[in-house]
Amino acid sequence: MGVRFAAVILWPALFPAAPAQNSPLPTFQSENKSVTIERFDPKVNGSHPAVMVIHGGVGPEGDWRKDGIIDALTAAGYVAFVPHYFEGSGGKWAPSGGATQLFAYLRTLNDAAAFVAQQPGVQKDGIGLVGFSLGGYVVLGLAEEEISHPPPQPSAQIKAVVETYGGMPEFAADRMTTMPPVLILHGETDELIPVKEAYALEKLLKSKSVTYEIKIYPHQGHGFDSATAEDANRRTVAFLKAHLQ
């Protein structure tokens, strides 16, 4: 593939801990595999929009949890789901995995989205996606796949996508006709996934008249400091409220 995927996420250890997930952890089935999916609920009872948070190359226990995104989502009234998609047929990320491994992730996450849409307390009219690093590529690929090649059993409609220091997979860029609204967040000095990936995505979205927002953070690399992460979370919530409600 003509894109690079992140194998690490370098978040500073200065963020509040995420809320405790529901226990025991639920699972969903994908290609005859049982895949763990964490659920985090708002404190207010009722039916809420759902957001799937897609981790990067280090897996679901990476330092991305320390950025406060799950707290920000649940405080804003979203049910946050974290699928452990490496447990599906794609396995752990390998730099040599390429498109074959990525498509396996998309199949697992399509099954995850279908599972999310059927859960109690979740609104049924669409979900949001938030992805970090490798997860940024995955959420963009998943949203494009839903439009270009919908699966035999469609999952929930994807209504908004937030990608943080990721990029658009080459296969998706080549065939994309449209996308849900996209928020691009990237560090100007990212050495793992260069900022040119963010600008290439912006150019593509603009050429297809896709609604998007972009924020490039000066002096930030692959992983944001605490103040930048707080701003990124605020932008994420505002973007979701504009397009997911």
Side-chain angles (χ1 to χ4, degrees):
M1 298 183 64
V3 296
R4 287 179 288 180
F5 296 99
V8 294
I9 300 176
L10 307 176
W11 286 86
L14 299 175
F15 302 101
Q21 70 269 23
N22 292 356
S23 182
L25 296 181
T27 61
F28 65 93
Q29 293 299 307
S30 181
E31 299 185 308
N32 298 315
K33 291 180 178 289
S34 183
V35 180
T36 303
I37 185 165
E38 301 174 63
R39 174 173 176 161
F40 302 87
D41 285 286
K43 293 182 179 179
V44 179
N45 293 329
S47 181
H48 303 279
V51 176
M52 289 207 309
V53 182
I54 310 303
H55 63 73
V58 298
E61 301 306 323
D63 284 349
W64 67 271
R65 290 182 179 270
K66 299 174 183 177
D67 76 337
I69 184 61
I70 294 177
D71 272 324
L73 291 172
T74 56
Y78 297 103
V79 185
F81 290 87
V82 181
H84 293 204
Y85 63 98
F86 285 178
E87 295 177 5
S89 62
K92 292 183 178 179
W93 170 248
S96 61
T100 299
Q101 191 171 28
L102 182 60
F103 279 120
Y105 293 157
L106 300 190
R107 293 194 299 270
T108 298
L109 290 172
N110 179 75
D111 292 336
F115 173 85
V116 165
Q118 298 303 314
Q119 298 313 293
V122 169
Q123 294 179 5
K124 311 302 182 186
D125 57 348
I127 65 171
L129 301 177
V130 175
F132 297 95
S133 193
L134 169 63
Y137 286 94
V138 171
V139 295
L140 290 166
L142 184 63
E144 191 280 331
E145 179 82 357
E146 182 194 70
I147 293 171
S148 299
H149 295 83
Q153 296 181 335
S155 63
Q157 180 187 5
I158 298 168
K159 298 179 70 175
V161 179
V162 179
E163 74 88 8
T164 303
Y165 43 80
M168 178 67 87
E170 188 176 75
F171 78 85
D174 289 343
R175 70 188 190 186
M176 190 194 96
T177 57
T178 189
M179 286 277 287
V182 177
L183 172 62
I184 307 165
L185 302 170
H186 215 104
E188 185 180 45
T189 58
D190 192 329
E191 295 183 354
L192 189 58
I193 300 179
V195 70
K196 67 180 182 181
E197 294 283 349
Y199 290 127
L201 175 58
E202 178 186 29
K203 182 179 179 180
L204 176 64
L205 297 176
K206 187 179 294 184
S207 73
K208 303 295 185 179
S209 300
V210 174
T211 298
Y212 78 93
E213 296 179 18
I214 184 170
K215 175 61 179 179
I216 305 300
Y217 291 102
H219 315 299
Q220 296 295 306
H222 198 74
F224 300 149
D225 61 31
S226 57
T228 303
E230 183 177 353
D231 182 79
N233 290 343
R234 180 185 61 77
R235 291 176 185 272
T236 294
V237 168
F239 188 79
L240 292 172
K241 284 193 173 296
H243 300 289
L244 184 55
Q245 301 295 73

